[in-house]
Amino acid sequence: MNAREQQYFHGVSIHEFDDTLQFSDFRNTLREIYEGSLKPGFCFENKYAATQDLRPNAYDYDDSILDVLIESGIHQKMIDIFGYEMFVCHAQIRISENQNDFSYMPWHRDTYVYEDNKIIGPVPPMKKLIYYPKFNDVDNDCLMFGLGTHLRTRTTRQADFAQLNEAQVLKIQNSVNNYTIFNTECMHHALPPTNGKQMRVIYSFCPIGQLNHHEDKGAYERYMEKLNESLHSK
């Protein structure tokens, strides 16, 4: 299957960053954050147990955080995969640690509605790009997907989660170059790192008409500045 077919049938596809100078700058920036050498004005904050999020805004930390998307042609890639234009609406850098094998985010969908008819999450579901950088020779299983579950939503929580017993599960590991694009309606499960700590860099994408789901438009505005500069320089 090509990437578009994988997204439609599986809800997830794996890609690779090119080994460029910009990508090297991106990784160097992430390594500094990973090692705790933060720039003035930035800090870590605990949102979930066993995790630390970069604050105040990941996209403000360094130009390389968004530049790597522009240089890698992610804007066009998202169009090629999903068939329509989407924009960065949120960027996050999180470091997780293993605390008694606790998962801060077990199996879930980002968007769903069950027995109580209460809609949870953005409609339609966001698409995300996630990168688990590998900085040493330590392998970590980072994320699991129930392939195709975005096509099989159930009306009750019990029935929805029961399908995981039969679903094909894909496990994502940390990597130097690989990143993952996925439909957030696909059921997924964040895994605690087996060894040490693990960073994740995640970008949320949505159509322009859905930007009102996010109060902070900073990531979108900065992304558009860089995207327009790139398009006009060609």
Side-chain angles (χ1 to χ4, degrees):
M1 292 186 184
N2 61 35
R4 178 178 287 190
E5 293 165 341
Q6 290 173 20
Q7 281 294 334
Y8 181 79
F9 291 107
H10 294 164
V12 56
S13 55
I14 300 173
H15 309 264
E16 186 173 311
F17 286 116
D18 292 331
D19 191 10
T20 63
L21 179 61
Q22 181 57 57
F23 179 63
S24 178
D25 289 343
F26 175 59
R27 279 188 51 87
N28 287 338
T29 297
L30 296 182
R31 184 186 290 274
E32 291 176 1
I33 298 170
Y34 179 82
E35 294 175 349
S37 302
L38 300 183
K39 295 179 179 180
F42 290 86
C43 64
F44 288 120
E45 180 181 284
N46 294 98
K47 181 177 180 180
Y48 301 104
T51 68
Q52 293 182 316
D53 288 7
L54 182 66
R55 294 288 190 260
N57 297 305
Y59 62 84
D60 274 334
Y61 187 83
D62 190 84
D63 282 342
S64 64
I65 303 299
L66 292 178
D67 284 348
V68 70
L69 301 180
I70 304 301
E71 190 209 37
S72 301
I74 299 301
H75 189 74
Q76 185 61 48
K77 183 180 289 290
M78 299 298 279
I79 296 174
D80 294 341
I81 290 175
F82 296 104
Y84 53 91
E85 195 170 29
M86 285 186 287
F87 305 90
V88 171
C89 54
H90 185 64
Q92 175 194 86
I93 295 177
R94 172 173 293 162
I95 295 177
S96 59
E97 299 178 350
N98 191 316
Q99 293 184 5
N100 300 317
D101 292 328
F102 169 79
S103 171
Y104 71 88
M105 196 63 68
W107 284 109
H108 67 288
R109 306 177 186 272
D110 286 10
T111 299
Y112 60 89
V113 56
Y114 292 135
E115 301 91 323
D116 57 4
N117 291 320
K118 181 180 179 182
I119 298 174
I120 303 297
V123 178
M126 299 283 179
K127 308 304 188 291
K128 290 185 176 180
L129 184 158
I130 192 165
Y131 172 54
Y132 292 97
K134 185 176 182 180
F135 296 121
N136 46 43
D137 59 357
V138 175
D139 294 323
N140 275 317
D141 293 328
C142 301
L143 189 63
M144 293 194 298
F145 291 99
L147 298 184
T149 51
H150 63 302
L151 300 176
R152 301 190 299 272
T153 57
R154 301 292 185 257
T155 56
T156 68
R157 178 181 294 274
Q158 181 176 356
D160 207 23
F161 281 76
Q163 67 176 298
L164 288 169
N165 295 324
E166 300 179 357
Q168 180 182 353
V169 173
L170 173 67
K171 192 174 290 186
I172 303 296
Q173 284 194 326
N174 60 345
S175 172
V176 174
N177 293 83
N178 289 349
Y179 64 90
T180 303
I181 295 174
F182 68 100
N183 182 335
T184 61
E185 193 175 16
C186 185
M187 300 185 81
H188 51 289
H189 175 22
L191 296 169
T194 305
N195 298 289
K197 60 183 181 179
Q198 178 63 53
M199 172 183 280
R200 80 170 198 172
V201 185
I202 190 162
Y203 306 90
S204 298
F205 290 81
C206 71
I208 194 166
Q210 202 176 357
L211 287 169
N212 59 1
H213 181 79
H214 293 273
E215 294 182 5
D216 179 10
K217 304 295 191 300
Y220 164 73
E221 292 168 355
R222 188 68 56 81
Y223 177 72
M224 287 305 299
E225 288 176 8
K226 292 180 177 295
L227 184 62
N228 287 329
E229 289 174 1
S230 173
L231 293 175
H232 292 155
S233 67
K234 293 181 179 179

